[in-house]
Amino acid sequence: MYSICPRGMVHQSRRGVVSMADKEWTGMTDSDGPQGVPAADIRSQRLEKREQLRQAGQCPYGFRVDGLLSTARAREMCAAEAAADSAAPQARVAGRIMAKRDMGKSLFLDLRDAEGRLQLYVQRQAVGDEDFARLKTFDIGDILTAAGTMFVTRTGEISLRVAEFRLLSKSLRPLPEKWHGLTDVEQRYRQRYLDLLCNEDAGRVFRRRIAIIRALRQYLDERGFLEVETPMMQPLAGGAAARPFKTYYHALGCPMYLRIAPELYLKRLLVGGMEKVYEINRNFRNEGLSRRHNPEFTMLELYQAYSDCRGMMSLVEDMIAAVARDVLGATAVRVGDREIDLAPPWRRVHYADLVRETMGADWYDLAPEVQRLRACEKDLGVDAGWTPEAVTHEIYEKIIEPTLIQPTFVTRLPAWLVPLARRCDDDPSVVDVYELEINGQEISPGYSELNDPVEQRSRFGEQLAAAGNDDVAVDRIDEDFLTAMEYGMPPAGGLGLGIDRLVMILTGAESIRDVILFPQMRPAT
RNA sequence: GCCUCCGUAGCUCAGUUGGCAGAGCAACUGACUCUUAAUCAGUGGGUCGUAGGUUCAAGUCCUACCGGGGGUACCA
């Protein structure tokens, strides 16, 4: 809102004219008094305090602090020393003032750092009249360092009796209210730093996200997987059916795409002899926003030579359970009012069996008109133009999928749904893949990868023809990838795992925006 | 994109059938040397998202737009 506008300041000093930009910069308004010191504007008051500190020879923006203890460590020390009944320990801490309680000749401050809070107790006689008066002008939100002696107050709170302090950063804007915090979701997403400052839950969620990703890496590293990085800017956006973001590379004079999947590069690495590879990184898809979709999202993609779809199921099942045990210490999680148990083994069920379970054992023997009628009875808007496959899949997506709360591997999907996957040897109408559903959401797909370059080429061709002229991912065939395939790719299992959605499940978050630090928002006006 | 709900002080929220825009916290002035949502006395702070319209009169009713939540569509 207040753009840093040094040019505006220059204008002010050079011409003595206060332009619109100058007013924004200084926080002045038209109702300001003749000295340009508005009585009401908090930001202007604080700019004035900042100036007064400077004029008193006090730098309102300090620098490096040595010998710091975290507030948590300072507390521990105090508790330990109290138990040992020895001399009171000395400590230096630094952090942000979150609350201020002025008692006249003494003052309590709540100081917050990365690991917690600590109460500071400052007495006028201990720091001297001048410093004490200056401390009284400090605001909630200011960052300072303080040193002194740890002690326990009469009401039992571990505190620091301050002997000396120094301002490290003067805050110019008031923090959200101490009791309710920041609840406006829009502001929590746009100004995440305020959310992290005011809402402890936000910090917990993101710390857990970090722990989950660390645990995934550790699990895979221990099993001999190599973590690699493949291009995020690609001349062709392949590996998935999604609309890409398009950009332009000036040096090469050609269009580039943000990747929609790392798949085709990871498979090149299989050709190159890396037998177990994975990548955890962002994919970008030019799609709408929703509670479950962010246009850039984090994905684990993994390939293992000489494995297959079943190998991938065992791997992902064991991996997610291990991560849950590591991060939560349990395999049971709560999402909303639902209890989800991630302890293996997970249910494995054929797509067609799920459909028969819901629609009757004779579903696939019914005439198309009867199927459409049954679908309409379930309040699905299908009309005569729909193929039987499409009707069946609509039932799967709208009726069956939302009921798959406990972890479920859905296998043997119709081949038309997953055109690039390897077909099952005993039935070419279905493919050898799984889709893992948890809490009614697709969390992870897994495949027996196609490694026949001739078959792959013809599938790409079909996909291209089906895509038509839409600005979809595939506008030409990735010849370089097919060349790699023609050198020979080992048979392999592959899987993708949506990290954001996994984090949602393991933190109980209802919206993907609550597990992404800076979710995509429309630019504010 | 479509449907629907929401937008009032820095933050959290009231605001009646259309009739002078409010409270708590934060801020400012003062009191108080163990408080912790400190307390007590006083003070200031508003383009009611934006722009139109109806009306003697609009935070309130109508229209459009901007931003957000939820749903839906696109979506291996």
Side-chain angles (χ1 to χ4, degrees), chain A residues 27-149:
Chain A
M28 289 157 64
T29 66
D30 288 334
S31 59
D32 292 345
Q35 280 81 40
V37 184
D41 186 346
I42 294 171
R43 183 166 170 272
S44 301
Q45 287 168 356
R46 294 199 180 180
L47 277 168
E48 183 57 31
K49 286 181 179 177
R50 171 187 177 278
E51 192 51 36
Q52 280 166 3
L53 280 165
R54 276 163 47 82
Q55 282 171 6
Q58 301 283 326
C59 178
Y61 297 94
F63 44 93
R64 169 175 172 153
V65 182
D66 289 316
L68 269 184
L69 287 180
S70 70
T71 57
R73 182 76 192 101
R75 279 171 180 285
E76 282 167 23
M77 267 178 44
C78 186
E81 297 292 328
D85 205 22
S86 49
Q90 302 292 305
R92 172 175 289 285
V93 295
R96 192 184 292 273
I97 300 173
M98 297 304 285
K100 193 175 159 188
R101 293 179 291 280
D102 188 345
M103 302 296 297
K105 297 186 182 64
S106 71
L107 186 62
F108 292 89
L109 297 172
D110 287 344
L111 197 75
R112 186 204 138 117
D113 71 3
E115 292 179 34
R117 284 169 185 255
L118 180 67
Q119 176 170 267
L120 307 185
Y121 179 52
V122 193
Q123 290 172 297
R124 186 168 75 177
Q125 65 188 63
V127 296
D129 289 355
E130 196 181 325
D131 279 358
F132 192 71
R134 184 176 332 115
L135 181 68
K136 281 203 176 194
T137 70
F138 288 5
D139 293 295
I140 291 172
D142 289 355
I143 296 172
L144 60 78
T145 178
T149 313

